Amino acid sequence: MSPRPIAETVASLMPKAKAELTELVAFKSVADFEQYPRSESEGAANWVADALRTEGFQDVALLDTPDGTQSVYGFLPGPEGAPTVLLYAHYDVQPTLDESAWVTPPFELTERADGRWYGRGTADCKGGVLLHLLAIRALKANGGVPVGVKVIAEGSEEQGTGGLERYAEQHPELLTADTIVIGDAGNFRVGLPTATATLRGMTLVRVEMATLEGNLHSGQFGGAAPDALAALVRVLDSLRAEDGSTTIDGLDPSASWDGLQYDEDAFRKDAKVLDGVDLIGSGSVADRIWARPAMTVLGIDCPPVVGATPSVQAGARALISLRVPPGTDAAEATKLLMAHIEAHTPWGAQVKVEQIGQGQPFRANTESPAYAALADAMRQAYDGQEMQYAGQGGSIPLCNTLAALYPEAEILLIGLSEPEAQIHAVNESVSPEELERLSVAEALFLQKYASAN
């Protein structure tokens, strides 16, 4: 089975894919409707639905999920007796952060001198939508799609509100499949074919600290009056060891990663660590980002420096993210985190800890037949390079929901979010060459998977 016809077809479709991704990126589809209009997300959902209809998908529907967002579903029947493959992506995106820090407008796909396409969602994960469409189109142009295909495009993955997970649990027959391809991961770096074998889970916790009925003059009362902001800082500091590694009472910080390793100098470059600044934690980089818990303070509510008054603070709060490694239950990790915060709160301060989001970690079975077919397809699409297995520090909570609902299904994780993509940051981008190669790989995988069944 020669990969050339598929590769030539995908190459010919890339100008159309760029135009379509430009249209899709233009929707400000952030599923936080206090910041962005709901109509932007609805527009993106309708765009995906129309694209599926154009490709002949049946039963195309906008599913109203319990978190108030919409997921897009469609089904393309395959030959009699063929297996069914579910293709996943999400059309919602992260907020833009500081728009002034974007070199080009975040919601305008722009090709820059380096050849990459810039814009929010180009890699995470509107590019994933195009990845699936390109693979389907290439197969249709070369003998037809040899499997049944279901597509689900989620509308709130970045918010972690669990709408699609709960919808799937309520309608378990909808997404049933023999194999599931999650198009929301990424190669270890550009040009190196990679399957993501593990995902860390996540819990989000909001901490509120209160010590006084109201702010007090720091000259008149400072030194004896308990400062809520200082109490919060003490608690946050207790969540890290001296070397910066995460330390939560009862949570194992010592697991190791035995797969593909991440060179420390390469990591410093990918993470854009400033000269002279140390990395935090111990063990290998892969240990730290794929196999161990990691706490991050996402935000603190307290007076800004500009306009601050000489006051002892009566209250302060923070939003904390804890990434949970495979092998650890996210619910148990949340309990340990909340207990740690309460135990380490100083001066008898009143503390309120509230969980606002959670997703379980995931570990794939890389010994499955589908992974063998994917490795063969990746080898052909990437000029003979062997597929590598890596972890991912991020979370895709839907993976565990699907694994629980369909325990016999094989789950594969690929995607466009390699380090240069800078997902979730300003100046997010996608490599068009990576989009092209992965689309070829997915099409070849579907052919090989069908032949093996």
Side-chain angles (χ1 to χ4, degrees), residues 234-307:
R234 281 279 183 98
V235 168
L236 298 180
D237 184 60
S238 75
L239 294 167
R240 291 195 184 279
E242 188 66 27
D243 65 2
S245 56
T246 295
T247 53
I248 296 171
D249 298 342
L251 195 61
D252 179 19
S254 62
S256 60
W257 176 263
D258 59 4
L260 181 68
Q261 293 298 307
Y262 204 149
D263 177 76
E264 187 165 319
D265 288 338
F267 178 83
R268 292 184 65 92
K269 180 180 178 182
D270 291 340
K272 296 179 172 57
V273 180
L274 298 178
D275 290 344
V277 178
D278 296 333
L279 300 185
I280 62 173
S282 60
S284 71
V285 170
D287 292 342
R288 286 175 259 180
I289 64 172
W290 296 335
R292 296 179 180 176
M295 188 279 297
T296 304
V297 180
L298 303 184
I300 297 179
D301 285 341
C302 61
V305 172
V306 176

Side-chain angles (χ1 to χ4, degrees), residues 137-222:
R137 289 166 180 166
L139 290 170
K140 288 172 64 178
N142 289 277
V145 182
V147 297
V149 175
K150 294 180 178 179
V151 167
I152 187 73
E154 188 174 1
S156 57
E157 191 276 341
E158 299 291 9
Q159 297 299 312
T161 45
L164 182 55
E165 292 101 279
R166 297 199 297 278
Y167 190 95
E169 290 166 350
Q170 295 164 7
H171 305 84
E173 74 291 343
L174 185 71
L175 302 183
T176 181
D178 298 289
T179 286
I180 299 166
V181 179
I182 305 290
D184 192 24
N187 286 344
F188 182 67
R189 59 184 62 261
V190 172
L192 181 63
T194 311
T196 298
T198 67
L199 298 168
R200 286 194 295 195
M202 181 183 68
T203 186
L204 283 175
V205 169
R206 185 162 50 215
V207 183
E208 297 187 19
M209 200 73 64
T211 55
L212 304 165
E213 291 184 2
N215 287 3
L216 298 173
H217 190 289
S218 61
Q220 185 176 3
F221 295 97

Side-chain angles (χ1 to χ4, degrees), residues 263-406:
D263 177 76
E264 187 165 319
D265 288 338
F267 178 83
R268 292 184 65 92
K269 180 180 178 182
D270 291 340
K272 296 179 172 57
V273 180
L274 298 178
D275 290 344
V277 178
D278 296 333
L279 300 185
I280 62 173
S282 60
S284 71
V285 170
D287 292 342
R288 286 175 259 180
I289 64 172
W290 296 335
R292 296 179 180 176
M295 188 279 297
T296 304
V297 180
L298 303 184
I300 297 179
D301 285 341
C302 61
V305 172
V306 176
T309 62
S311 301
V312 179
Q313 300 302 313
R317 66 178 186 168
L319 183 63
I320 299 171
S321 162
L322 175 64
R323 297 290 178 169
V324 181
T328 300
D329 178 68
E332 180 61 25
T334 301
K335 292 178 182 177
L336 293 173
L337 173 61
M338 297 172 81
H340 179 108
I341 291 170
E342 292 173 354
H344 289 263
T345 296
W347 316 321
Q350 296 179 7
V351 61
K352 178 182 177 183
V353 188
E354 178 184 10
Q355 182 185 8
I356 61 173
Q358 179 180 289
Q360 291 287 355
F362 173 79
R363 187 187 303 276
N365 174 19
T366 57
E367 302 300 318
S368 68
Y371 269 92
L374 180 63
D376 191 14
M378 286 284 210
R379 189 183 305 111
Q380 290 188 316
Y382 281 82
D383 300 323
Q385 290 194 79
E386 293 297 325
M387 184 176 77
Q388 303 294 312
Y389 294 99
Q392 182 170 295
S395 304
I396 307 175
L398 182 65
C399 284
N400 280 82
T401 300
L402 296 177
L405 289 173
Y406 320 117

Side-chain angles (χ1 to χ4, degrees), residues 394-432:
S395 304
I396 307 175
L398 182 65
C399 284
N400 280 82
T401 300
L402 296 177
L405 289 173
Y406 320 117
E408 301 302 317
E410 301 174 75
I411 300 179
L412 315 175
L413 293 103
I414 60 174
L416 299 164
S417 298
E418 37 74 29
E420 291 179 48
Q422 295 193 158
I423 64 170
H424 293 205
V426 298
N427 297 305
E428 177 183 347
S429 67
V430 71
S431 162

Side-chain angles (χ1 to χ4, degrees), residues 1-4 6 83 85 139 144-147 179 369-382 412 440-453:
M1 185 185 301
S2 171
R4 181 171 296 176
I6 292 288
V85 178
L139 290 170
V145 182
V147 297
T179 286
Y371 269 92
L374 180 63
D376 191 14
M378 286 284 210
R379 189 183 305 111
Q380 290 188 316
Y382 281 82
L412 315 175
V440 172
E442 183 168 285
L444 293 174
F445 161 73
L446 294 175
Q447 284 185 334
K448 294 174 187 299
Y449 181 69
S451 298
N453 283 269

